[in-house]
């Protein structure tokens, strides 16, 4: 009853209730405590040094269909944006906590782990059975290796992996809270491609979802139905042998019923990291709605910057949507962009037409333009915070 609540206790708001429910129902990843200990030590070290620290989230989150997971839903993200951004943040003097999808791209090693850039192709056999970099690659490799070693040796880089959507959210909440002592020097750069839908634990199968009813006829199964008895062993054998004969139809189709994942940006902004600067990404495929959706997200969650990008052009351009500022497009130079900027910018504040872009990857990494711009906004954010504190 409402009467029994003491008057000084504010009623829990919907965001808190959604948070309690989600985190209570979805178990944390098994390494969470270990990750928290590593993150705490890293954050405290840089906080004591008065350094800026960025949490970069990167890669896709899986949506398991079974508790003992055999099958899961995934998304396209390779972690290029996050891994590349992390390198430029290190270059800009930030300590980087890199929360990434396990086996997605990592800063520095990304140059040699791509499917088209197998690291073995950069090596050759040297004298006395040694392994050395090929002469034509050694210079660049040395530069990458030096940057990597410098980041590690100076304790400027910590990487922590996640797999599923609930792993990600548990890790994000814990790390964001640990970052509070950094105050405005903490930056959260949320580039991971986070699932919007999931199977809630109460509807998730414990074991591998079966593709036939054959298991219903197993002797140990007390729920055996008479109809599933008929010829089911035979059917299972047929399926296992990949026989697609229409005479033996598959007995089951799979309908997956997903719930929306609660958006926790509000909780992040107001509760987990009330002083840090928060940058989220907005990914769309339809150019006509990108800026609108980015602005909507900013208005709704009241954070500090949304970086909008389109799937097809994300390596060529992004748009910065920030409170009180006009939208700002950041582009790597293309022949088309040069032409457009010289023609007084007609249509320049519109997304590029993907068909107008050259084949292949841009020569310049767009993160090399994004990170200095984010860094400038972060400087202004810290200055405004300090000015408010002095006033
Ligand atoms: O890895 P790449 O291949 O290089 O691709 C990079 C990228 C396109 C994935 C990246 O640039 C990007 O756009 N990432 C964000 C994509 C995304 O998840 O957008 P969204 O509209 O679903 O979410 C917007 C924000 O809300 C995100 O910052 C996310 O952290 C947050 N969110 C999302 C879902 C959820 N349940 N809770 C959230 O808080």
């Amino acid at each position: 009853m409402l009467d029994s609540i003491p008057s000084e206790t504010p009623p829990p708001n919907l965001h808190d209730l959604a948070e309690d429910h989600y985190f209570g129902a979805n178990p944390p990843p098994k390494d969470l405590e270990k990750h928290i200990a590593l993150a705490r030590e890293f954050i405290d070290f840089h906080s004591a040094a008065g350094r800026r620290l960025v949490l970069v989230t990167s890669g896709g989150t899986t949506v398991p269909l079974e508790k003992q997971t055999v099958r899961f839903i995934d998304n396209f993200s390779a972690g290029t944006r996050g891994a590349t951004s992390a390198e430029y943040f290190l270059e800009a003097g930030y300590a980087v906590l890199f929360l990434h999808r396990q086996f997605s791209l990592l800063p520095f090693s990304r140059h040699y782990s791509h499917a088209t850039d197998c690291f073995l192709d950069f090596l050759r056999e040297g004298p006395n059975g040694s392994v050395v970099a090929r002469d034509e690659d050694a210079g660049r490799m040395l530069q990458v290796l030096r940057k990597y070693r410098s980041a590690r040796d100076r304790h400027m880089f910590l990487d922590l992996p996640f797999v599923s959507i609930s792993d990600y959210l548990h890790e994000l909440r814990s790390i964001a809270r640990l970052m509070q002592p950094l105050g405005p020097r903490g930056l959260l750069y949320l580039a991971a491609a986070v699932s919007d839908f999931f199977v809630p634990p109460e509807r998730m199968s414990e074991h591998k979802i079966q593709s036939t009813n054959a298991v219903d006829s197993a002797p140990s199964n007390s729920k055996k139905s008479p109809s599933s008895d008929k010829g089911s062993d035979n059917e299972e054998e047929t399926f296992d042998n990949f026989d697609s004969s229409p005479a033996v139809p598959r007995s089951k189709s799979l309908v997956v019923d997903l719930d929306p994942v609660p958006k926790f940006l509000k909780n992040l902004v107001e509760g987990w990291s009330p002083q840090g600067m928060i940058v989220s990404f907005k990914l769309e495929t339809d150019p006509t709605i990108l800026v609108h959706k980015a602005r909507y997200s900013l208005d709704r969650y009241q954070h500090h910057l949304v970086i909008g990008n389109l799937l097809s052009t994300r390596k060529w351009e992004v748009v910065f949507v920030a409170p009180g500022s006009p939208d700002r497009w950041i582009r790597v130079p293309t022949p088309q962009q040069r032409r457009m900027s010289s023609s007084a910018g007609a249509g320049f504040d519109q997304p590029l037409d993907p068909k107008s872009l050259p084949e292949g990857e841009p020569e310049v990494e767009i993160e090399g333009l994004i990170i200095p711009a984010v860094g400038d906004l972060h400087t202004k954010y810290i200055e405004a915070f300090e000015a408010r504190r002095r006033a």
Side-chain angles (χ1 to χ4, degrees), residues 3 14 29 56 58 70 87 89 94 97 121 126 149 207 233 240-241 260 276 331 337:
D3 289 351
L14 287 177
V56 176
S58 183
V70 174
E87 285 184 27
F89 274 121
Y94 282 78
L97 206 167
D121 289 336
R149 280 268 50 105
H207 293 287
D233 286 349
D240 285 351
N241 285 312
R331 296 190 167 98
Q337 189 197 354

Side-chain angles (χ1 to χ4, degrees), residues 77-81 190-192 194 261-263 280-282 309 314:
S77 171
T80 311
R81 173 81 78 228
L190 307 173
V194 182
V261 177
K263 283 264 183 197
S280 75
F281 277 78
K282 173 57 68 185
N309 53 179
R314 67 191 190 281

Side-chain angles (χ1 to χ4, degrees), residues 57-60 76-82 165 168-169 172 190-196 261-265 279-284 297 301 307 309 311 314-315 367:
T57 71
S58 183
F76 72 97
S77 171
T80 311
R81 173 81 78 228
I165 171 71
Y168 168 80
L169 289 170
L172 177 65
L190 307 173
V194 182
S195 322
D196 287 319
V261 177
K263 283 264 183 197
F264 287 117
L265 268 181
V279 179
S280 75
F281 277 78
K282 173 57 68 185
L283 173 70
E284 292 297 340
S297 170
Y301 301 114
I307 304 181
N309 53 179
L311 186 65
R314 67 191 190 281
K315 295 186 179 175
E367 292 78 7

Side-chain angles (χ1 to χ4, degrees), residues 43 46-47 50-56 89 94-95 97 175-176 178-189 272-279 304 374 377-379 381-382 385-386:
I43 292 164
H46 293 293
S47 182
R51 196 169 284 126
R52 293 187 192 186
L53 186 150
V54 60
L55 169 68
V56 176
F89 274 121
Y94 282 78
L97 206 167
I175 295 169
L178 289 172
M179 286 174 69
Q180 286 184 12
L182 293 159
R185 281 178 289 110
L187 174 63
L188 294 96
Y189 180 89
W272 309 345
S273 179
Q275 294 183 338
M277 176 169 161
I278 297 172
V279 179
H304 312 105
V374 170
L377 290 174
H378 193 199
T379 301
Y381 178 81
I382 295 170
F385 186 94
E386 299 298 344

